[in-house]
Amino acid sequence: MTKIAVYPGTFDPITNGHLDLMKRGLKIFDQIIVAVAENPQKQTLFSLQQRIDMVNEVTKDMKTIQVMTLDKLVVDFSRDHSATVILRGLRAISDFEYEVQLASINRSMEPSIESVFMSPAEEYSFLSSSIVKDIARHNGDTSKYVHPSVSASLREKYLK
Ligand code: ADP
């Protein structure tokens, strides 16, 4: 049986930390669906389409990664795509409380879907999309933290 995991998030933009997590996830799961959230409550720098395009570009050589829009509850999305796992990243302790809350709510809505947490390589454990945007906004070099295509998109955004 194919084990499918959904990796939901905002990906505004996708970082090397997200990518590290996907690679780790693929050691356990046959397929990962990256579910990019519309997230109207969060003011995103990039539009939904831009965020999806960036994930597609960064993962284009990874045949077992699929990229889709998340426009409903993660548990409903997972069920619709025959996924049995929700993959999330745990960086520092600060992620813990929110992630456990989310996992508990998801479990109460759909007990058959498990949340699985993975931690990234040390070098990515303090990396977030927000920090990358801050660096780019102040004209810093983001090349250590994101794919070159994402660095280019960030430069273009902040040049305007
Ligand atoms: P969200 O708005 O759902 O937090 P993000 O795109 O910020 O969306 O993150 C999606 C998931 O990826 C979350 O589980 C988050 O903890 C994880 N994540 C983000 N950055 C990293 C990183 N550097 N290393 C590992 N996991 C990460």
Side-chain angles (χ1 to χ4, degrees):
M1 213 182 80
T2 315
K3 260 267 173 260
I4 305 171
V6 168
Y7 181 30
T10 314
F11 304 100
D12 185 41
I14 179 170
T15 68
N16 291 342
H18 292 125
L19 188 62
D20 179 90
L21 212 78
M22 289 174 203
K23 289 181 180 162
R24 287 174 199 281
L26 285 178
K27 293 183 188 169
I28 303 176
F29 309 112
D30 301 309
Q31 204 185 319
I32 294 178
I33 303 173
V34 182
V36 184
E38 269 185 331
N39 224 341
Q41 313 106 293
K42 257 196 185 177
Q43 266 286 17
T44 55
L45 174 65
F46 293 101
S47 69
L48 175 65
Q49 194 53 52
Q50 286 172 324
R51 288 181 280 132
I52 289 177
D53 289 348
M54 286 186 279
V55 180
N56 269 320
E57 176 62 27
V58 171
T59 61
K60 66 175 180 227
D61 296 327
M62 299 161 79
K63 297 297 170 225
T64 44
I65 296 266
Q66 267 181 290
V67 188
M68 293 185 191
T69 301
L70 178 65
D71 54 1
K72 52 178 77 164
L73 287 174
V74 177
V75 285
D76 292 338
F77 180 93
S78 303
R79 217 184 290 115
D80 290 354
H81 294 92
S82 310
T84 52
V85 168
I86 298 169
L87 175 65
R88 294 286 288 179
L90 272 186
R91 289 162 289 188
I93 307 268
S94 49
D95 279 338
F96 186 79
E97 200 172 336
Y98 175 66
E99 292 295 338
V100 168
Q101 184 185 15
L102 216 55
S104 305
I105 288 286
N106 284 334
R107 182 187 282 148
S108 80
M109 288 190 287
E110 180 49 77
S112 69
I113 298 175
E114 291 296 336
S115 292
V116 169
F117 303 100
M118 298 191 81
S119 61
E122 279 287 283
E123 62 202 286
Y124 303 128
S125 60
F126 294 97
L127 182 55
S128 66
S129 300
S130 315
I131 285 179
V132 166
K133 283 180 278 191
D134 274 346
I135 296 171
R137 187 180 309 122
H138 298 292
N139 232 347
D141 178 11
T142 56
S143 61
K144 267 204 279 186
Y145 314 114
V146 295
H147 187 271
S149 61
V150 176
S151 278
S153 301
L154 281 164
R155 269 196 304 275
E156 197 182 319
K157 259 297 170 210
Y158 287 116
L159 267 180
K160 281 178 192 163

